[in-house]
Amino acid sequence: MDIQNNQACFVQLWRQLERTRRVLSSCYKRFSVRNVLKLWFGAEATDDFIWQVCKHTVVSEEQVCGNDLLLSPRHYPRIHRELLRAIVATKLGLGLRHVKLPDLDAAYSIAFPNSTPINVNKKKRKYGTNSTVK
């Protein structure tokens, strides 16, 4: 699998993640980080590689374990955004801050146009107004 740090690759990764979830469920296998990486990278997905990806995947102040059950990417995108971000960073040897998050978020909107927005709880700032003054 050829991984790059651009929006076109991120769209493919989002779609591949959903296909992988379906394949694993049809085989009665657990949809986990370990199984996803083993399917995507085969022999290249060693325990060290899986550990590196899990080390970088932090959601809500908690590190994701390799055997944790993942939920659907359509309905719970934040966990999977961090997972894809960690995969790209680990595979390319980049830091997490060098992965293009705006492109990753835009790719999610392209891959799943009618799903839960990735930043559903994000508040919009109103510049030039002060909400404490009446």
Side-chain angles (χ1 to χ4, degrees), residues 1-122:
M1 175 177 282
D2 183 34
I3 296 203
Q4 299 170 1
N5 193 11
N6 60 28
Q7 186 175 356
C9 180
F10 294 150
V11 170
Q12 290 177 349
L13 288 175
W14 279 112
R15 290 179 178 157
Q16 183 71 24
L17 193 62
E18 179 63 23
R19 280 192 296 268
T20 303
R21 183 188 67 80
R22 289 181 187 159
V23 165
L24 288 173
S25 68
S26 70
C27 297
Y28 299 104
K29 288 189 175 180
R30 171 174 233 141
F31 181 53
S32 65
V33 175
R34 176 176 293 280
N35 287 338
V36 167
L37 294 177
K38 291 227 180 239
L39 272 177
W40 286 9
F41 299 108
E44 192 178 338
T46 61
D47 287 338
D48 290 336
F49 180 75
I50 294 168
W51 181 80
Q52 285 290 332
V53 170
C54 290
K55 183 179 89 169
H56 292 302
T57 307
V58 178
V59 179
S60 300
E61 306 284 329
E62 292 183 25
Q63 188 174 351
V64 174
C65 183
N67 291 321
D68 288 348
L69 182 65
L70 297 173
L71 302 169
S72 171
R74 287 181 184 263
H75 304 295
Y76 299 96
R78 287 188 180 189
I79 297 167
H80 302 287
R81 175 177 68 173
E82 293 303 316
L83 172 62
L84 292 178
R85 183 179 177 196
I87 290 171
V88 170
T90 303
K91 187 74 174 150
L92 297 178
L94 301 172
L96 286 176
R97 293 179 185 231
H98 295 288
V99 177
K100 299 175 184 171
L101 275 180
D103 288 349
L104 188 58
D105 293 347
Y108 174 79
S109 298
I110 293 169
F112 306 116
N114 298 323
S115 295
T116 306
I118 210 160
N119 293 323
V120 72
N121 292 330
K122 199 173 200 179

